[in-house]
Amino acid sequence: MAFFLSYSTPIAHHKICTVFSSKQGSRHAVDQFGSLTLKAMPEEMALIVTNGSSNNKIPHVLTMAGSDSGAGAGIQADLKTCAARGVFCSTVITAVTAQNTLGVQDVSILPEESVAAQLKSVLSDMHVDVVKTGMLPSTAMVKILHDSLKQFPVQALVVDPVMVSTSGHVLAGSSILDTFRQDLLPMADIVTPNIKEASVLLGGVQLETVTDMRSAAKSLHDMGPRNVLVKGGDLPSSSDAVDIFFDGKDFYELRSSRIQTRNTHGTGCTMASCIAAELAKGSSMLSAVKVAKRYVETALEYGKSINIGNGPQGPLDHMFKLKRKNSSKLRLFEPSDLFLYAVTDSGMNKKWGHSITDAVKAAIEGGATIVQLREKDAETGEFLEAAKSCLEICHAHNIPLLINDRVDIALACDADGVHVGQSDMPVNTVRALLGPEKIIGVSCKTPEHALKAWADGADYIGSGGVFPTNTKANNRTIGLDGLKTVCLASKLPVVAIGGINLSNARSVMELGVVTLKGVAVVSALFDRECVAVETRKLHDLLTETVANVGSAVTEEV
């Protein structure tokens, strides 16, 4: 949903200076190498111009799987997951199953000619971005898919090797294993087996530990898929839900709390279809996997008390977003959001006679790309009302609004996320409270902090203080060398924090580390009479600096 806001001339005593009016429904940002890009509203991000006419290109996933009459898994889970993630989903049905919360009572495999006709019908016409597979009950169907993708290539193939239902019913015979290994896995961009399926694909190797899962991921990768996700939800030796992601070079151990619920039917289908949906939207593979894990975890949490059916395994809640207030306002985090990160301060606002909303409005006018409300002295009720007003202002310009430390305020106003420190609420706890789509940042001074932030599910880190600052007492500085060390170790985008202003911001961005995306600033923006003018000066300096860094990199290459 887009919001539009026009500005009138500021009241003089507020001393907020207007530099320019932001374009309605859009904002500018500068990428790592200085290219100026227009970041459109979400519904406009995939605009394609063809022969002088414009059409909205919708991310499109095609799922090829079995139908689940109980609607917890299979085609039904894929449809619901893609819908929840804002992606169009078409279907190729390979089998019709009779199943409920008690188990699978019947499987009727469709004729191979029908499956081939469905595939050709969709692939030849509907511009599919990603294909996701589930239940492929015959060798012929695997070959049909293989040949179809040779004729109609797509951006990515996500293979969920569905062979045994969670209730133990065999859904695919052993005869297709060789075809899977020879024809399908080498085409896959990612394969997502659970430990039982990984064991079957590897000839019966038992997986009982995280070390076993790592070995399995490596062995499966040797069969040809570009990425492997071995899911450890059923791993008996772990108190957490541990998944192992392997991209052929690095192993990533993804952990989340194990949620006690009977409603787990369809988690595997849901994970794979969410990965497919995120890939269709343009996410990197690792990012898609992380979002999918969060999505499944949140769906399990929201649906843990659902009571459907009389059996031991009910469905999870794919559409939990419908329960969340103002869920339509959720926006995806982009690393470029960190370019000019404005952090408010209640003391500075009072000093200059600025309200929180006036200060935020002026910072956005000046070019801030993300806003954090850091209001240590504000009374809770007053802070909440101000946060709601600031959220409207930020969303009018497609700018994310985060709350510093106060998860309660973020929940109450439905902010885009929070930023926490090392001594605040743990990231995984914040994630459980806020859900999979909210933005979570964490302050980090060391490479160890940065790696833990990634493992715990943060979206970005703030590293510093780089320089001495008067906004935080006894804050140990790490300097430019310390910042560079953290950036090189981080698997997350980084924003530099602490004492940054017009005199030293250039030296920060000239570090040229790919993970360093911007600077976070307090005093240099808000301890000034004219917030908008100071923000514009810093924005211009950052733009010029990254452009020069990009040019230097190009010349070296």
Side-chain angles (χ1 to χ4, degrees):
M1 181 181 296
F3 295 85
F4 301 105
L5 187 68
S6 60
Y7 294 120
S8 58
T9 303
I11 299 173
H13 75 271
H14 285 307
K15 303 178 182 176
I16 302 292
C17 305
T18 301
V19 176
F20 67 94
S21 295
S22 297
K23 293 185 178 181
Q24 293 181 340
S26 67
R27 58 191 172 94
H28 290 87
V30 180
D31 63 20
Q32 175 71 19
F33 299 107
S35 299
L36 189 65
T37 59
L38 183 66
K39 300 176 73 176
M41 294 295 287
E43 60 266 35
E44 299 171 341
M45 289 182 71
L47 192 67
I48 292 179
V49 179
T50 306
N51 297 327
S53 63
S54 61
N55 299 286
N56 285 325
K57 173 66 171 70
I58 305 300
H60 184 168
V61 170
L62 166 62
T63 174
M64 182 176 178
S67 171
D68 173 6
S69 58
I75 288 287
Q76 288 80 353
D78 298 340
L79 285 167
K80 287 187 281 188
T81 300
C82 286
R85 302 305 303 163
V87 172
F88 184 81
C89 185
S90 55
T91 63
V92 171
I93 299 176
T94 61
V96 176
T97 69
Q99 57 180 303
N100 53 26
T101 62
L102 296 168
V104 180
Q105 293 83 45
D106 184 67
V107 178
S108 298
I109 299 174
L110 266 65
E112 291 149 9
E113 296 80 5
S114 173
V115 172
Q118 292 177 68
L119 264 174
K120 183 176 181 180
S121 179
V122 177
L123 290 174
S124 65
D125 171 61
M126 298 181 71
H127 308 292
V128 173
D129 296 304
V130 178
V131 169
K132 175 262 174 185
T133 70
M135 179 183 175
L136 300 177
S138 73
T139 298
M141 288 189 192
V142 176
K143 290 187 175 293
I144 288 169
L145 175 62
H146 175 271
D147 294 343
S148 296
L149 291 181
K150 288 289 187 182
Q151 184 179 0
F152 303 105
V154 295
Q155 292 178 17
L157 172 63
V158 177
V159 174
D160 184 24
V162 177
M163 297 172 184
V164 182
S165 71
T166 309
S167 60
H169 192 95
V170 177
L171 300 175
S174 58
S175 61
I176 73 167
L177 284 176
D178 287 341
T179 308
F180 242 88
R181 298 184 185 113
Q182 294 171 10
D183 292 340
L184 199 57
L185 294 187
M187 294 185 72
D189 291 273
I190 185 170
V191 59
T192 64
N194 58 33
I195 56 175
K196 294 178 183 177
E197 292 158 347
S199 176
V200 170
L201 287 169
L202 295 173
V205 175
Q206 293 302 302
L207 308 181
E208 298 179 349
T209 66
V210 172
T211 300
D212 292 341
M213 292 171 63
R214 285 174 173 255
S215 297
K218 175 64 170 63
S219 297
L220 288 169
H221 187 268
D222 291 342
M223 295 181 182
R226 279 161 283 289
N227 300 274
V228 178
L229 178 69
V230 179
K231 299 171 295 188
D234 297 324
L235 194 68
S237 62
S238 175
S239 58
D240 294 333
V242 184
D243 300 334
I244 296 297
F245 175 74
F246 181 57
D247 61 7
K249 179 182 178 182
D250 297 314
F251 288 92
Y252 299 89
E253 193 171 298
L254 308 176
R255 289 182 176 267
S256 61
S257 301
R258 192 177 292 277
I259 297 169
Q260 299 303 317
T261 175
R262 68 182 276 271
N263 298 321
T264 59
H265 183 49
T267 50
C269 305
T270 300
M271 174 76 84
S273 55
C274 188
I275 291 171
E278 298 307 310
L279 292 175
K281 290 190 286 188
S283 294
S284 67
M285 185 63 72
L286 179 57
S287 176
V289 169
K290 290 175 68 177
V291 169
K293 185 166 178 65
R294 291 179 193 166
Y295 173 76
V296 171
E297 181 184 9
T298 308
L300 287 168
E301 177 66 31
Y302 270 76
K304 64 183 179 182
S305 60
I306 291 176
N307 186 17
I308 296 177
N310 302 309
Q313 190 184 38
L316 69 164
D317 182 6
H318 296 89
M319 307 304 291
F320 66 87
K321 277 178 62 174
L322 298 179
K323 300 177 181 179
R324 298 178 64 178
K325 181 181 177 183
N326 297 327
S327 61
S328 63
K329 297 179 183 177
L330 293 171
R331 69 183 301 284
L332 292 176
F333 169 72
E334 301 173 35
S336 56
D337 289 336
L338 303 175
F339 183 67
L340 179 46
Y341 191 134
V343 184
T344 68
D345 182 275
S346 54
M348 295 173 190
N349 289 335
K350 290 177 181 178
K351 173 182 175 181
W352 293 100
H354 303 159
S355 68
I356 298 176
T357 52
D358 285 338
V360 167
K361 187 184 298 184
I364 292 173
E365 288 182 356
T369 55
I370 190 169
V371 173
Q372 179 192 136
L373 297 186
R374 183 178 180 269
E375 298 294 323
K376 299 293 186 180
D377 301 326
E379 184 270 330
T380 296
E382 176 186 321
F383 188 13
L384 175 58
E385 291 307 310
K388 291 178 180 177
S389 297
C390 290
L391 190 65
E392 290 187 11
I393 294 168
C394 288
H395 281 186
H397 296 84
N398 198 27
I399 300 293
L401 178 74
L402 308 187
I403 308 296
N404 180 265
D405 295 348
R406 297 289 299 273
V407 178
D408 58 334
I409 296 291
L411 283 168
C413 73
D414 198 31
D416 295 298
V418 298
H419 184 93
V420 295
Q422 289 294 319
S423 61
D424 296 322
M425 187 180 294
V427 170
N428 51 9
T429 303
V430 176
R431 178 66 67 197
L433 290 170
L434 295 185
E437 292 180 314
K438 296 295 186 177
I439 304 167
I440 300 177
V442 59
S443 299
C444 298
K445 290 183 179 293
T446 67
E448 292 75 20
H449 286 165
L451 292 174
K452 187 175 188 304
W454 182 90
D456 288 346
D459 293 292
Y460 74 91
I461 65 170
S463 186
V466 180
F467 305 110
T469 175
N470 58 8
T471 60
K472 195 169 186 179
N474 302 316
N475 185 30
R476 179 175 65 86
T477 59
I478 63 174
L480 291 173
D481 289 341
L483 172 64
K484 186 172 184 177
T485 300
V486 172
C487 289
L488 290 172
S490 179
K491 298 176 182 178
L492 294 171
V494 181
V495 61
I497 59 177
I500 297 172
N501 53 44
L502 282 169
S503 68
N504 56 32
R506 188 183 303 276
S507 64
V508 172
M509 297 309 295
E510 284 177 344
L511 289 176
V513 184
V514 69
T515 52
L516 181 60
K517 301 301 182 182
V519 299
V521 184
V522 188
S523 302
L525 303 187
F526 296 108
D527 196 11
R528 299 290 187 275
E529 180 177 359
C530 190
V531 175
V533 167
E534 297 304 321
T535 308
R536 172 49 52 195
K537 289 179 182 177
L538 186 54
H539 187 281
D540 290 347
L541 183 145
L542 294 173
T543 302
E544 177 187 347
T545 303
V546 296
N548 290 338
V549 170
S551 298
V553 170
T554 302
E555 290 176 4
E556 289 179 9
V557 173

